[in-house]
Amino acid sequence: MPSPATPTIDGASHLHSGKVRDLYELADGRLLMVASDRISAFDHILERPIPDKGEILTRMSLWWFEQLADLVPHHVLSTDVPEPVRGRAVICEQLEMYPVECVARGYLTGSGLLDYRDTGEVCGIPLPAGLVDGSRLPEPVFTPATKAALGEHDENVSYDAVAATVGDQAAGRLRDLTLAVYGRAEEIARGRGIILADTKLEFGRRADGTVVLADEVLTPDSSRFWPADDWQPGRTQPSYDKQIVRNWLLSPESGWDRASGEAPPPLPDEVVSQTRARYIEAFETLTGQPW
């Protein structure tokens, strides 16, 4: 996968670029996290970005951090960022990041559905028989995953595997926080007519051992949001995310062969505009704020 282009920011040293975010270190040791307009699908960063996506993700994360502040501290120190990235970046604290994707699922879909069909379980957790795509689970479950390198897939792992990596106490804390965040967010989203099917969180640790919520939180890039009035188990649910992009890439219209290993073609204008509109709709519906 080609390395994504990153902006040069005066007074900041570039440290790392992911699929969407660019990370810099400031002279005082704090970090500058910038959300780009890049969009990825099937482990490829696509050629055409989605206008305003980085600002949407940043504003949505900031809103959610406020809703969760009494449950877990977050990493944001300031939104007073350099002018070239204003609105799409935050200054945050340096943390020792836990090497695990903390996933909570309240509904069965995606990789969890594939695991269930193969084994009747998700990450070693037995589930009732007869569930289908979109089924609501009896209770939310913690289904962690490995943090894959850029261009590779995260892989679901068991709770025991997390405990073996970070220790029993930390694993328990990560599980409890993940489920608490999901529970709070699911209730808020449901009150706004949106189902939070699942979400992926990242946590870090301060020098004093405090666990801190980091990176992005509860955005369409890290979560599955479904319109509650369209929920119908047994089929793929309409969603507030980049499913429009995935659907086009897999359609005959794109002409792309996923198995070829080649980069996907550029998105057409219509798909770009529809995707942008979907992200904005998610932001406005959840936060109640106008874009």
Side-chain angles (χ1 to χ4, degrees):
M1 183 186 305
S3 298
T6 57
T8 298
I9 300 174
D10 290 341
S13 302
H14 177 252
L15 297 178
H16 173 75
S17 289
K19 292 177 181 176
V20 173
R21 283 169 178 76
D22 301 310
L23 189 64
Y24 302 79
E25 185 174 19
L26 301 175
D28 60 8
R30 297 181 299 171
L31 299 178
L32 177 69
M33 181 175 290
V34 181
S36 75
D37 290 343
R38 297 190 297 269
I39 190 165
S40 66
F42 305 116
D43 299 312
H44 291 272
I45 297 173
L46 305 185
E47 181 178 326
R48 289 194 66 183
I50 305 299
D52 299 318
K53 177 172 176 280
E55 186 171 349
I56 294 168
L57 298 182
T58 299
R59 287 178 59 181
M60 187 175 289
S61 286
L62 288 169
W63 185 84
W64 278 113
F65 281 136
E66 292 181 3
Q67 314 309 309
L68 304 168
D70 62 316
L71 295 179
V72 57
H74 58 74
H75 71 154
V76 177
L77 299 173
S78 174
T79 56
D80 184 13
V81 300
E83 189 60 37
V85 292
R86 189 168 301 280
R88 64 173 61 248
V90 296
I91 294 174
C92 51
E93 59 184 303
Q94 294 224 32
L95 301 166
E96 180 185 351
M97 298 301 294
Y98 287 101
V100 57
E101 302 280 5
C102 294
V103 180
R105 301 177 189 271
Y107 293 75
L108 188 63
T109 193
S111 63
L113 176 64
L114 298 178
D115 289 352
Y116 172 78
R117 286 173 172 170
D118 287 341
T119 66
E121 302 177 345
V122 179
C123 295
I125 301 171
L127 296 178
L131 300 181
V132 296
D133 192 355
S135 288
R136 187 172 187 176
L137 301 179
E139 60 182 12
V141 294
F142 177 61
T143 59
T146 59
K147 294 179 71 170
L150 191 65
E152 298 179 3
H153 285 292
D154 295 343
E155 292 188 8
N156 294 343
V157 295
S158 67
Y159 175 81
D160 289 344
V162 174
T165 301
V166 303
D168 291 338
Q169 184 174 1
R173 181 68 172 145
L174 294 176
R175 176 190 58 200
D176 294 347
L177 283 174
T178 299
L179 292 174
V181 167
Y182 176 83
R184 170 72 60 79
E186 193 275 339
E187 181 180 7
I188 291 172
R190 182 173 293 277
R192 289 157 170 76
I194 290 180
I195 289 173
L196 173 59
D198 55 45
T199 193
K200 178 178 66 176
L201 307 172
E202 293 198 37
F203 294 94
R205 181 174 54 193
R206 291 175 179 155
D208 65 1
T210 302
V211 179
V212 177
L213 184 58
D215 198 55
E216 65 178 325
V217 60
L218 294 157
T219 72
D221 275 13
S222 66
S223 312
R224 283 188 177 91
F225 294 112
W226 299 335
D229 57 3
D230 283 340
W231 175 54
Q232 183 180 329
R235 62 169 172 82
T236 300
Q237 311 300 316
S239 59
Y240 292 101
D241 61 12
K242 54 190 175 185
Q243 193 60 46
I244 295 169
V245 171
R246 298 189 193 99
N247 291 347
W248 182 81
L249 289 174
L250 295 177
S251 72
E253 183 183 352
S254 78
W256 181 56
D257 179 6
R258 183 181 176 185
S260 69
E262 296 180 357
L267 300 175
D269 292 345
E270 181 181 8
V271 173
V272 170
S273 62
Q274 289 177 350
T275 303
R276 178 182 180 274
R278 203 65 169 156
Y279 273 75
I280 290 174
E281 183 181 355
F283 171 81
E284 292 185 333
T285 305
L286 285 166
T287 68
Q289 300 173 7
W291 178 253

